Amino acid sequence: LVAGLVFSGTALAADTLAEVKKKGVLVAGVKDSLPPFGSVDPNTKEFVGYDIDFVKYIGKKLGVKVEYKPVSSANRMPMLMESRIDLIAATMTKNPERAKQIDFSYTYFLTEQKFLTKKGTVKSLKNLEGQKIGTAKGSTSEQNVKKAVPSATVLSFDDYPQGVLAVQQGKAIAVTTDESILAGQLGKLDKNPATKGQYEIPDLSISEEPYGIGMRKGDANFVKFVN
């Protein structure tokens, strides 16, 4: 028990900034299939997106190489706390519950939680009552939609594209997450001639979602540098 406590204290007091500079590599947890924030370019096979741009800039300012590790909404915090990654840059909403376990940078993006649906099917929350709604496991979206539409059945997927597919297949009336993420998914649908113009994001918001870069709790030097 004592050994565990000593290890725990050491982990909390770790100086990631110094360690990253020493090893010459910054390991970032990012999304790999969620444009426009984090995805793999099919032609170059390189990670691209808004979150990726932030990580690249941090790596450049540190003077180190960047290594990307794909994360999901469910596993990103455990991966950070287990020191498998140095930071999280993955459309992550800052909230008090998460802030008890990890530290966050300043907000770098602000969006709202909305829904992606077939055109004309959802005009208000009433249309979602008693329906099936898709979202991602371990996300704030999952918690928010349960509060906003208690009578709905929430289908939790590993990622949002699976939720979009459920809507396309008629297994869910909507998929819900941040509008910025949904816009990327809608863009993909509209690029496909078979689905172009068939889906929409109704003007229906259930929460505000401020994004922050996640770092280990108590890692003050790194948080200050990232900010």
Side-chain angles (χ1 to χ4, degrees):
L1 177 62
V2 171
L5 288 170
V6 170
F7 176 77
S8 232
T10 305
L12 287 174
D15 188 346
T16 302
L17 183 63
E19 288 173 7
V20 167
K21 284 181 177 178
K22 186 178 177 182
K23 68 184 178 182
V25 179
L26 173 69
V27 184
V30 299
K31 296 289 181 76
D32 65 352
S33 59
L34 210 61
F37 288 90
S39 61
V40 177
D41 185 298
N43 299 316
T44 65
K45 307 301 178 191
E46 291 182 355
F47 281 85
V48 293
Y50 190 74
D51 286 336
I52 308 302
D53 289 343
F54 272 90
V55 175
K56 279 183 182 173
Y57 186 73
I58 292 166
K60 183 180 176 183
K61 295 296 278 187
L62 280 165
V64 299
K65 292 179 182 176
V66 177
E67 180 186 326
Y68 301 104
K69 277 197 181 176
V71 297
S72 68
S73 296
N75 73 14
R76 58 193 170 185
M77 281 180 58
M79 284 181 70
L80 178 69
M81 291 187 284
E82 290 162 12
S83 297
R84 290 156 63 196
I85 54 178
D86 297 316
L87 58 76
I88 303 168
T91 63
M92 192 171 191
T93 298
K94 297 161 61 172
N95 64 29
E97 187 181 339
R98 285 175 174 166
K100 289 174 186 174
Q101 296 179 280
I102 67 171
D103 284 337
F104 285 100
S105 70
Y106 295 144
T107 298
Y108 67 93
F109 194 85
L110 182 64
T111 185
E112 296 177 303
Q113 183 172 340
K114 292 191 175 182
F115 301 86
L116 187 149
T117 66
K118 281 195 172 173
K119 262 195 178 167
T121 55
V122 175
K123 295 189 178 165
S124 70
L125 289 180
K126 193 166 177 119
N127 299 130
L128 296 167
E129 290 175 3
Q131 301 286 345
K132 290 178 181 175
I133 302 171
T135 192
K137 278 181 212 167
S139 63
T140 51
S141 303
E142 187 180 40
Q143 299 163 25
N144 293 339
V145 72
K146 286 177 180 177
K147 291 175 189 170
V149 197
S151 64
T153 300
V154 178
L155 307 177
S156 298
F157 299 98
D158 288 331
D159 56 34
Y160 296 110
Q162 290 178 9
V164 174
L165 184 61
V167 175
Q168 288 180 263
Q169 294 174 338
K171 294 176 181 175
I173 191 172
V175 58
T176 184
T177 184
D178 309 336
E179 182 180 20
S180 48
I181 294 172
L182 294 177
Q185 297 302 305
L186 182 61
K188 285 169 78 174
L189 290 169
D190 281 342
K191 278 181 185 174
N192 185 341
T195 52
K196 185 176 181 179
Q198 294 180 29
Y199 298 86
E200 65 180 353
I201 302 169
D203 190 15
L204 184 64
S205 169
I206 59 173
S207 72
E208 283 195 346
E209 304 295 314
Y211 290 176
I213 291 173
M215 289 159 278
R216 278 180 281 280
K217 195 74 182 166
D219 207 348
N221 289 337
F222 196 37
V223 172
K224 185 178 179 182
F225 180 85
V226 169
N227 280 337

